[in-house]
Amino acid sequence: MKYMSRFSPVSMMTIAYSLQIVGILLPVLSQSAWSVLLSAMSFGFTFVGLVTMSTAYARQLFPKQSNYVVSILTTFYAIGQIIGPVIASRLETHFRTFKAPLLFAGGTVTVALVLLLVGYFYSRKSPVHLAVDIKY
């Protein structure tokens, strides 16, 4: 969080997502003890940071509705924590290797990074500021 005040939240999350993608995909390329250790560290270090940065960024974008937006983020996070292992298990069973679930997870995090960047660039071009009231 120290760097979030110095750099933009999107740039910090882009770095964290990129490190996480590398951490997820590293065991697909190599199963040595060092690569698995590096994978676990890069995923673990970025995991909590991304959750924290995403929540802070959501509060920054929607200050008047921050509780509502954070509850939506938390709900989707929980759904992902339930569905992800089910999909990973089925992929591993079907392909008989852990590389398939890792590729799926890496792809999913890559999609999250792309959505973050598309949303960021779209919001910068949009004449409507994001901190407007959400109608629900």
Side-chain angles (χ1 to χ4, degrees):
M1 293 301 285
K2 171 183 164 184
Y3 293 107
M4 292 225 9
S5 62
R6 192 179 299 166
F7 301 102
S8 78
V10 173
S11 64
M12 293 308 300
M13 287 193 294
T14 299
I15 292 168
Y17 271 123
S18 299
L19 287 172
Q20 191 171 73
I21 292 165
V22 169
I24 292 169
L25 296 179
L26 193 57
V28 172
L29 304 173
S30 170
Q31 290 83 37
S32 72
W34 286 108
S35 68
V36 172
L37 179 63
L38 182 60
S39 169
M41 287 177 26
S42 68
F43 180 79
F45 289 151
T46 58
F47 185 78
V48 174
L50 278 167
V51 171
T52 304
M53 287 188 284
S54 297
T55 304
Y57 188 50
R59 289 186 187 280
Q60 179 184 340
L61 289 176
F62 302 98
K64 294 180 182 178
Q65 303 84 14
S66 64
N67 290 339
Y68 178 73
V69 172
V70 169
S71 68
I72 289 172
L73 288 174
T74 303
T75 300
F76 279 101
Y77 174 81
I79 291 169
Q81 291 295 308
I82 294 167
I83 293 173
V86 173
I87 294 171
S89 173
R90 298 228 171 135
L91 287 170
E92 191 281 326
T93 300
H94 180 74
F95 292 103
R96 301 207 184 279
T97 178
F98 285 106
K99 290 181 180 182
L102 290 170
L103 289 169
F104 173 75
T108 301
V109 176
T110 301
V111 168
L113 173 58
V114 168
L115 289 174
L116 171 71
L117 294 174
V118 167
Y120 175 72
F121 289 116
Y122 176 76
S123 69
R124 290 183 56 122
K125 290 183 178 185
S126 175
V128 178
H129 186 25
L130 285 176
V132 296
D133 289 331
I134 295 176
K135 304 295 183 206
Y136 52 96

